[in-house]
Amino acid sequence: MRRAVTSGTPLPAPDDPTPTPQPDSTDTAPADTAPADTAPPDATPPDTAPRPDPSAGPGPHVDPYAGPHVDAAVAQQVRHARYAPWPYTRLDVAAARAAGHRPHPIRQFVLKTRSRCNLACTYCYVYEMADQGWRDQPPAMTPATIARAAQRIAEHAAAHDLPRVDLVLHGGEPLLSAPAQLAVPVDAVRTAVAGAAPATRVTATVQTNGTLLTRGRLTALAAAGIRVGVSLDGGLPAHNTRRVDHAGRPGFASAARGLRLLARHPQSYAGVLCVVDLDQDPIETYESLLAFDPPSVGLLLPLANWSAPPPGHRPGRTPYADWLLAVFERWWHDGVRRTRIRLFEEIIALLLGLPTTTETLGLTPAATAVIETDGSIEQADSLKSAYEGATATGMTLDTHSFDQLLDHPGLAARQLGRDALAGWCRACELVDVCGGGHYPHRYRAGEGFRRPSVYCADLQRLIRHIAAAVQRAAQTPRPATDPPPAEGTEATGPATGPAEAPVAEAPAEHPPAVAS
């Protein structure tokens, strides 16, 4: 562990007008390094518009950049260039390849099997944020699209000798499908991969809001080897007031019933995803989630950026770090590990120099592709929080391979590591752990995705605190009377001390980092 991580003065937050440290003159990033990369950003409100009912069919979708005589692909390029010059007009992918940046194959495929949802959560990034592309999507993925997706995934796995590909069934709400249909996409991919790349293992997870979990669906999912991740805002009704149906009725009771059923099938239980809510007590939220016996809890920072800052965002304050550290202290000092918390484990793994597969921290190249219900190939859903069309690539299963996606500027930028970051981030001592933060959190309208995370100050405080805790644990001698753990058992600290530092597992052991 680097000593600088646990001591020293943090860099100023992006709101601070203090000049930003710049990388030295040997920096050879192939990307644009204009001063705008590090200028203190202002928080400007996003454009707002009424949001229609996401359970309805496709309604008229008025694109301000596509008139009756404007080609859709041209309109898409105009949007990207206007809202995100980095990377769409400032990144030369060919130059990056010439400089040695090799593409990394896609390893996770998110299949949007349903584009509609039975809930209308008021903060949903699919229906309530900047991108409204869902309205143009068919409600469900057709058998022909599923077959074409399976063929393309198998083709990619064979071309790159992938040891494993991970499928995520997503939506909308994927459990709107009948139980007999839930495994169809996974079965199709497994069959295609077995023929083209027999050494490749296929794992599968479904991410759901939990309200439609039934014994029949759980039986069908378990039989197909599909694990279940559930999105929930906490374990009490008061935590979930924004997770309502289209009539405004709370969805918590149905989700809680589904989670109790899922807890009886531990082999199928991937875990719970929970977005941090500053209005809720962190310890109460954590403890209430434990009542559902999740093997893993994913604590997610709200999707926000410099043009649409998160609630409570103020210069010099770290409310999200404060919230998360309250949970960390309870989890770290529990003595018995009651669940795994992905965010904390990933930070610890990165501090120890261990590999992780997350895109929210560290410098691991992005390796996720999204397949929409109409067969469009898109980037990660989280980009929908930035601007209309932010996930669009102009590619479809019928016209493009996943190898072609690798050279798309949007994905290529997320595989560049340090060279994709603002000068501020490249000069930061925490860069190997933070990695500039989650890509959507770096966005600012008119500039793109090359600022420090809007959560920069929170991430600095969180990482330093966890690093100090791990260092203290490593320096604390085990009591002489405490016998060593038996071989093959998990070691934890004494009942009054922290548990032994956990390490990251393979991504299939976690719920996918995409909410429902």
Side-chain angles (χ1 to χ4, degrees):
M1 187 189 308
R2 291 177 299 279
R3 183 179 178 186
V5 173
T6 60
S7 62
T9 303
L11 294 174
D15 307 88
D16 193 320
T18 305
T20 300
Q22 297 294 316
D24 61 38
S25 59
T26 62
D27 191 337
T28 57
D32 177 273
T33 54
D37 288 346
T38 55
D42 299 318
T44 54
D47 295 334
T48 58
R51 302 306 191 203
D53 181 348
S55 66
H61 187 190
V62 180
D63 187 339
Y65 298 102
H69 305 294
V70 179
D71 180 82
V74 173
Q76 175 188 301
Q77 293 172 359
V78 170
R79 282 195 301 270
H80 282 321
R82 172 171 179 172
Y83 289 111
W86 169 260
Y88 291 101
T89 65
R90 296 180 184 168
L91 172 62
D92 185 334
V93 176
R97 298 287 180 252
H101 285 288
R102 301 270 65 84
H104 294 260
I106 304 300
R107 299 177 184 276
Q108 184 184 68
F109 298 88
V110 178
L111 305 180
K112 307 283 279 188
T113 56
R114 308 287 298 207
S115 66
R116 306 297 188 261
C117 188
N118 62 319
L119 293 187
C121 304
T122 60
Y123 58 86
C124 181
Y125 61 80
V126 175
Y127 305 113
E128 298 296 333
M129 290 192 175
D131 186 291
Q132 290 291 289
W134 66 270
R135 292 184 293 181
D136 298 328
Q137 291 293 332
M141 191 176 279
T142 65
T145 300
I146 290 171
R148 191 64 172 142
Q151 178 186 8
R152 287 296 194 189
I153 293 169
E155 169 187 280
H156 195 69
H160 297 278
D161 294 322
L162 297 180
R164 190 182 85 196
V165 296
D166 301 320
L167 304 181
V168 181
L169 305 183
H170 204 263
E173 174 46 58
L175 295 191
L176 285 169
S177 298
Q181 299 300 311
L182 290 174
V184 169
V186 175
D187 290 341
V189 173
R190 285 178 173 150
T191 299
V193 169
T200 302
R201 183 165 65 97
V202 178
T203 72
T205 307
V206 60
Q207 190 64 32
T208 172
N209 59 40
T211 60
L212 300 178
L213 281 171
T214 62
R215 289 184 178 86
R217 286 188 170 89
L218 282 169
T219 298
L221 292 168
I226 301 171
R227 301 174 76 226
V228 182
V230 177
S231 300
L232 201 67
D233 293 343
L236 298 175
H239 301 151
N240 292 273
T241 57
R242 295 183 295 174
R243 297 183 71 83
V244 296
D245 67 13
H246 300 288
R249 294 169 299 201
F252 176 75
S254 296
R257 182 170 58 251
L259 270 165
R260 285 191 289 269
L261 282 172
L262 179 58
R264 299 173 192 166
H265 297 76
Q267 74 283 359
S268 298
Y269 200 171
V272 173
L273 292 180
C274 177
V275 177
V276 172
D277 184 350
L278 297 182
D279 290 336
Q280 304 299 333
D281 180 84
I283 302 302
E284 180 184 68
T285 301
Y286 168 62
E287 296 285 352
S288 64
L289 287 173
L290 291 177
F292 294 111
D293 297 320
S296 174
V297 173
L299 296 176
L300 308 179
L301 291 169
L303 282 172
N305 55 61
W306 292 108
S307 293
H313 182 258
R314 297 288 186 277
R317 297 183 184 178
T318 57
Y320 290 90
D322 297 342
W323 198 100
L324 288 166
L325 286 175
V327 178
F328 174 79
E329 285 298 306
R330 176 62 62 91
W331 174 78
W332 184 249
H333 292 286
D334 259 346
V336 175
R337 192 174 311 156
R338 300 159 73 187
T339 190
R340 306 181 64 200
I341 299 186
R342 182 177 185 175
L343 175 62
F344 303 154
E345 293 190 352
E346 287 170 343
I347 290 174
I348 292 167
L350 288 162
L351 286 165
L352 298 176
L354 299 174
T356 69
T357 56
T358 180
E359 291 184 24
T360 58
L361 291 166
L363 298 169
T364 300
T368 298
V370 175
I371 303 171
E372 284 285 356
T373 53
D374 67 351
S376 299
I377 299 173
E378 296 202 342
Q379 301 178 71
D381 263 8
S382 54
L383 296 177
K384 292 180 182 290
S385 60
Y387 60 92
E388 176 77 32
T391 62
T393 65
M395 301 181 183
T396 71
L397 294 171
D398 288 334
T399 58
H400 293 81
S401 69
F402 288 110
D403 271 15
Q404 289 172 286
L405 175 64
L406 299 179
D407 284 330
H408 184 274
L411 183 63
R414 292 162 50 226
Q415 293 195 341
L416 291 180
R418 275 185 179 80
D419 287 344
L421 303 181
W424 186 317
C425 295
R426 294 197 298 271
C428 179
E429 64 185 359
L430 302 182
V431 65
D432 289 337
V433 180
C434 171
H438 196 18
Y439 191 75
H441 297 162
R442 307 174 202 169
Y443 176 73
R444 188 186 182 196
E447 295 181 17
F449 297 91
R450 211 176 189 206
R451 285 187 166 258
S453 168
V454 72
Y455 295 103
C456 178
D458 295 279
L459 290 171
Q460 285 195 46
R461 181 159 183 262
L462 179 66
I463 292 167
R464 292 181 191 281
H465 183 102
I466 293 177
V470 173
Q471 190 170 62
R472 285 193 300 271
Q475 294 172 347
T476 301
R478 187 179 294 273
T481 56
D482 200 18
E487 184 175 354
T489 62
E490 183 178 274
T492 59
T496 57
E500 182 180 61
V503 296
E505 286 185 0
E509 299 303 318
H510 294 296
V514 282
S516 176

